[in-house]
Amino acid sequence: MSGRLGVGVIGAGVISQTYLENLTSFPDVDVVAVGDLLPERARAKAEEHGVGAWGTGEDVLAHPGVDLVVNLTIPQVHVEVSRAAVAAGKHVWTEKPLGLDREATRELLAEADAAGVRIGSAPDTILGPGFQTAKRAIAAGVIGTPLFVQTSFQTQGPDLWHPEPAFLFAQGAGPLMDMGPYYFSALVSLLGPIAGVAARGSRWRTERQIHTGPRAGESFPVEVPSTVQVLSTFAGGQHGTHLLSFDSALERHGVVEIHGSEGSIVLPDPNRFDGRIAYVTPLGIIRDGMSFEQEWIDIPQEGTVVGRGLGVLDMARAIAEGRPHVATGELGFHVLDVMLSAQESASTGQYLEIGSTVADVPLLPEGFDPFAQTLG
């Protein structure tokens, strides 16, 4: 590939705003088309962000200037849209989750491999300065050998703020499938693949109400567990506990802690691209009789903070440079396999081994600058 990568966006909903803001600011990519089931919605987004073409998803796939499709559709059609893009000879970056079932998602990856195109999958928060810095620190041994992890995402639910929240409580979503990709992708990128899970889930309300927007006051069904707790075992020997809830009066997001043989480290919210990174060691405990305090050591994050779309940029440069991109389809599939296994465990009460694995997730190249023009 020479010159800037041509990008087409399919799906002009809420999440497209931040993608388009960032993608149109990167000098190495060129957003050439926006498509949506509602072409007028695509037109509004295209005009707002200075994109020259708009229409349906089919129009984006047919556009000769599109090298890579950014799939921002609802989870239920992620695989369908991504497979159509692959069939059209396009690389694909898809919002999470990569798919909703193993068979169709595995077929997507096989078709992409056969076509010689790449698949990338959100979240790309693992490419942000927060987790990139944390990954280097853990590899450098600041906490010794990682032993166990704890994560937590607790909220009252997206029905409080999202104008169309029903899909977040439908099959393929809920806190596990909607927020789980951030936490499990982050942990797999840091510690390697997950070997097995056990889980429990609950759904204390079968209906919820929309609280904002033109449909405020309408009810919708809750199809999946709205609270899930997962126990995980990593292939490297570590284990973890993970809480994901849309039922919590206590709002607590982004808790990621990794505890090691020589210390403990707290990491940024995996739904963000930056945040505090700090660790404590046993030598940092100052005792005064029965009481004590801990001295936390902050690690300055390195890199430029941007946002969603960073994974697309990494793919563009990786294609040109002939290197692996960071947030691969294989990583997305492994995380999907972990979440589906947790979902199945919550239904059956069994501990389930994970059938898939994934290679070590690489760091971004040293000195990666999103706003430097490196292609053509």
Side-chain angles (χ1 to χ4, degrees):
M1 187 188 77
S2 62
R4 296 192 297 169
L5 187 86
V7 169
V9 174
I10 299 180
V14 174
I15 197 64
S16 69
Q17 183 69 18
T18 184
Y19 268 95
L20 287 165
E21 286 173 357
N22 291 317
L23 289 173
T24 54
S25 73
F26 299 150
D28 281 342
V29 300
D30 182 18
V31 183
V32 298
V34 180
D36 193 87
L37 280 172
L38 303 174
E40 286 303 316
R41 185 162 67 170
R43 178 181 184 174
K45 289 294 181 184
E47 291 178 347
E48 178 182 357
H49 297 281
V51 178
W54 56 272
T56 65
E58 289 77 11
D59 293 326
V60 172
L61 296 182
H63 194 294
V66 172
D67 302 303
L68 183 150
V69 169
V70 177
N71 180 358
L72 306 182
T73 58
I74 61 174
Q76 287 80 358
V77 296
H78 277 179
V79 168
E80 176 185 343
V81 173
S82 294
R83 291 178 77 173
V86 167
K90 317 293 187 183
H91 304 286
V92 177
W93 172 269
T94 178
E95 250 305 315
K96 48 78 185 170
L98 181 62
L100 295 182
D101 69 87
R102 296 179 183 88
E103 183 178 358
T105 309
R106 194 181 288 114
E107 289 174 357
L108 165 65
L109 296 179
E111 289 167 6
D113 187 58
V117 296
R118 298 195 186 201
I119 301 290
S121 179
D124 53 0
T125 45
I126 63 173
L127 283 74
F131 275 87
Q132 291 286 300
T133 301
K135 185 176 175 72
R136 288 191 291 269
I138 292 169
V142 296
I143 61 168
T145 301
L147 302 176
F148 66 97
V149 304
Q150 294 168 282
T151 67
S152 183
F153 171 86
Q154 298 167 247
T155 180
Q156 297 175 61
D159 46 323
L160 292 183
W161 57 267
H162 200 295
E164 299 283 347
F167 78 98
L168 292 168
F169 294 83
Q171 294 295 331
L176 176 62
M177 299 295 286
D178 182 51
M179 298 306 300
Y182 296 108
Y183 292 82
F184 292 118
S185 295
L187 292 175
V188 171
S189 76
L190 296 170
L191 301 178
I194 294 173
V197 293
R200 295 292 184 272
S202 61
R203 180 184 56 154
W204 76 278
R205 280 187 289 179
T206 58
E207 282 193 348
R208 293 226 185 189
Q209 195 173 78
I210 301 173
H211 291 270
T212 188
R215 297 178 59 197
E218 291 185 24
S219 296
F220 62 89
V222 178
E223 299 177 2
V224 294
S226 46
T227 294
V228 180
Q229 298 197 67
V230 183
L231 296 174
S232 63
T233 303
F234 289 78
Q238 305 89 357
H239 51 90
T241 59
H242 319 282
L243 170 60
L244 298 137
S245 179
F246 287 167
D247 297 323
S248 174
L250 174 63
E251 293 278 338
R252 180 164 54 189
H253 308 166
V255 178
V256 180
E257 301 172 351
I258 301 180
H259 306 277
S261 59
E262 305 299 329
S264 297
I265 188 168
V266 294
L267 286 81
D269 184 338
N271 194 17
R272 293 177 53 86
F273 288 79
D274 64 339
R276 186 189 185 204
I277 310 157
Y279 69 98
V280 65
T281 70
L283 296 177
I285 297 177
I286 305 169
R287 296 190 179 276
D288 179 17
M290 294 295 291
S291 64
F292 68 91
E293 62 181 78
Q294 294 186 288
E295 179 184 2
W296 286 92
I297 303 167
D298 285 281
I299 302 174
Q301 65 179 16
E302 299 177 4
T304 304
V305 179
V306 282
R308 284 163 173 79
L310 186 58
V312 177
L313 176 62
D314 175 52
M315 282 185 70
R317 292 181 177 177
I319 292 165
E321 297 163 7
R323 63 169 173 84
H325 57 286
V326 175
T328 62
E330 288 73 22
L331 172 60
F333 180 79
H334 179 65
V335 169
L336 173 66
D337 195 10
V338 169
M339 295 188 300
L340 290 176
S341 297
Q343 189 172 268
E344 292 156 7
S345 173
S347 297
T348 65
Q350 297 178 318
Y351 174 85
L352 297 177
E353 294 184 353
I354 308 301
S356 64
T357 188
V358 66
D360 289 343
V361 178
L363 285 161
L364 283 173
E366 189 173 351
F368 189 95
D369 180 355
F371 300 107
Q373 185 167 351
T374 67
L375 305 181

